[in-house]
Amino acid sequence: MLPYLLYWGILASAGLGNARRIAGLTLLALGASLTLLIGLRLEVGADWFNYLFYIERSIGLPFAEVFLESEPGWGLLNWIGANWGGSLFLVNTLSGLVFSIGLLLFCRAQPRPWLALCLAFPYLIVVVAMGYSRQGVAIAVEMLALLALQNNKLLQFLAWIALAATFHRTVLVLLVLPASTLSGSLRFSQLIRFGLLAGAAYGLYSAVIAPNLDYYVQGYLEAEYQSQGALIRVALCLLPAVAFLLNRRGFQLIPDVQRIWTLLSLMAVAAAIGLFTVASSTAVDRLVLYLIPLQLFVGSRVPDTRLFGISPGTWNHLLIFFSLAVLLVWLFFAAHASAWLPYRNLLFDFL
């Protein structure tokens, strides 16, 4: 448990200082340390041994067959780990590197980057990046896509989402986001934008989802699987969503950016409703992972909104200690926390 608390302490100490930027060398140090923390972990994470199956399956596999996989990006990483040496450690290190780049670039773009990192640590870093490797990479690439969409770069957004889908296809649910940037006018540029979005969405659906539609229907809906902890994960996204929806003007965003995050917030509300109305909580749980960036975006801006009349400094402290509470509650009470304890690393062992 000590490594988790130490790393959180480093992020918190910087966050408590109200720093508004992360220096270049510090960013590189954070990227390297996160990559090693995630990549060289030893038997940490509930799916650690399940991921060994992908390595074993890829040994001796012809390279061309990698791209016949339903998620070729993930297949490629496993092929490299299986046939170039390094096994699961190489796969996890490459995954950790991609995750760290996406997370750090997204947090650097927030007004309080250290606060965003503190909020990311308990669940996105510890649980997702160290437990759900495929989704961790997909979420990291999703964050790059969100930055592109905020800057009105639709083609870049579509390219990032397509790349993320090569690691986990469920990320394609985010193809609805560009619709929030379409205005009500019928300008030619808007029609072109809508046509491009519709064509890309249909193409990705046909290529990625449609061939395996029965798998999703039977595996997520008809099977009525239930995910432990789904309520907590949905709640962690619902709280920032409600805070944003009730005080959108206080965030002082340009209209297009406000609409993007409004739609994501509404998706979090829909997930909360779906948790009690959809037969399979696993289906909701898998999709809500892609709403985690909402926690970082809203959380890093809440102090400056002075929500409920609370000063920015007080909000900053409250949110940092809230992240500690989430971390401790998860480590002490989560059903599968034992798979993360003790933290072990190839470089050193911790008690």
Side-chain angles (χ1 to χ4, degrees):
M1 188 179 298
L2 182 61
Y4 302 120
L5 296 176
L6 286 175
Y7 206 99
W8 176 88
I10 293 171
L11 299 178
S13 62
L16 289 171
N18 291 314
R20 295 285 184 156
R21 61 184 297 271
I22 301 177
L25 288 177
T26 304
L27 200 69
L28 289 175
L30 281 170
S33 62
L34 268 178
T35 299
L36 295 177
L37 186 75
I38 295 167
L40 296 185
R41 68 188 191 277
L42 176 60
E43 298 181 4
V44 171
D47 286 340
W48 169 272
F49 294 103
N50 291 337
Y51 283 127
L52 288 174
F53 164 75
Y54 292 99
I55 297 291
E56 294 168 359
R57 190 183 64 174
S58 300
I59 295 174
L61 184 73
F63 181 69
E65 291 188 19
V66 170
F67 300 98
L68 300 179
E69 298 273 349
S70 57
E71 291 159 337
W74 179 246
L76 178 60
L77 289 188
N78 282 280
W79 187 90
I80 292 172
N83 297 285
W84 287 10
S87 187
L88 188 56
F89 294 105
L90 180 56
V91 175
N92 286 341
T93 300
L94 293 174
S95 299
L97 177 61
V98 175
F99 174 83
S100 300
I101 291 172
L103 174 66
L104 291 174
L105 289 179
F106 184 80
C107 289
R108 189 180 65 171
Q110 309 312 313
R112 295 174 183 263
W114 287 105
L115 176 56
L117 279 170
C118 273
L119 293 172
F121 187 76
Y123 200 81
L124 181 56
I125 294 175
V126 172
V127 182
V128 177
M130 295 189 191
Y132 315 141
S133 299
R134 289 191 301 153
Q135 282 135 315
V137 174
I139 292 170
V141 180
E142 170 206 344
M143 289 190 281
L144 298 178
L146 289 172
L147 293 177
L149 188 61
Q150 286 185 165
N151 290 310
N152 203 32
K153 297 177 179 178
L154 179 60
L155 288 177
Q156 281 190 25
F157 170 84
L158 294 173
W160 286 125
I161 291 296
L163 177 61
T166 68
F167 291 91
H168 211 287
R169 291 166 288 180
T170 52
V171 75
L172 292 179
V173 69
L174 297 177
L175 286 174
V176 302
L177 288 180
S180 65
T181 65
L182 298 174
S183 67
S185 64
L186 294 177
R187 290 179 299 175
F188 181 72
S189 60
Q190 289 289 321
L191 293 175
I192 293 295
R193 188 181 182 89
F194 177 78
L196 179 62
L197 173 61
Y202 178 76
L204 287 170
Y205 169 82
S206 299
V208 179
I209 298 294
N212 300 280
L213 189 59
D214 288 343
Y215 164 79
Y216 289 105
V217 172
Q218 295 173 9
Y220 285 106
L221 298 178
E222 293 179 358
E224 299 186 9
Y225 290 145
Q226 303 300 316
S227 290
Q228 290 183 325
L231 179 61
I232 299 299
R233 286 185 282 275
V234 170
L236 288 174
C237 291
L238 182 62
L239 286 173
V242 171
F244 182 77
L245 291 172
L246 294 180
N247 191 37
R248 285 183 295 173
R249 291 185 179 180
F251 287 82
Q252 299 181 350
L253 303 172
I254 62 174
D256 278 356
V257 174
Q258 184 185 86
R259 287 194 290 268
I260 293 168
W261 292 97
T262 296
L263 181 53
L264 275 168
S265 298
L266 291 173
M267 290 171 69
V269 174
I273 296 172
L275 194 61
F276 298 99
T277 57
V278 176
S280 171
S281 67
T282 298
V284 176
D285 193 37
R286 291 294 181 269
L287 296 178
V288 82
L289 290 175
Y290 301 113
L291 303 181
I292 291 178
L294 187 65
Q295 301 173 20
L296 317 186
F297 181 89
V298 174
S300 65
R301 287 170 169 76
V302 161
D304 295 318
T305 68
R306 296 179 178 269
L307 189 63
F308 304 127
I310 299 174
S311 69
T314 301
W315 262 123
N316 195 64
H317 285 64
L318 287 173
L319 289 169
I320 287 175
F321 286 108
F322 173 76
S323 72
L324 176 61
V326 172
L327 178 62
L328 292 176
V329 168
W330 190 86
L331 288 173
F332 280 109
F333 301 108
H336 300 290
S338 59
W340 277 257
L341 296 171
Y343 175 83
R344 299 172 63 203
N345 192 287
L346 273 186
L347 300 179
F348 36 74
D349 278 353
F350 280 97
L351 297 178

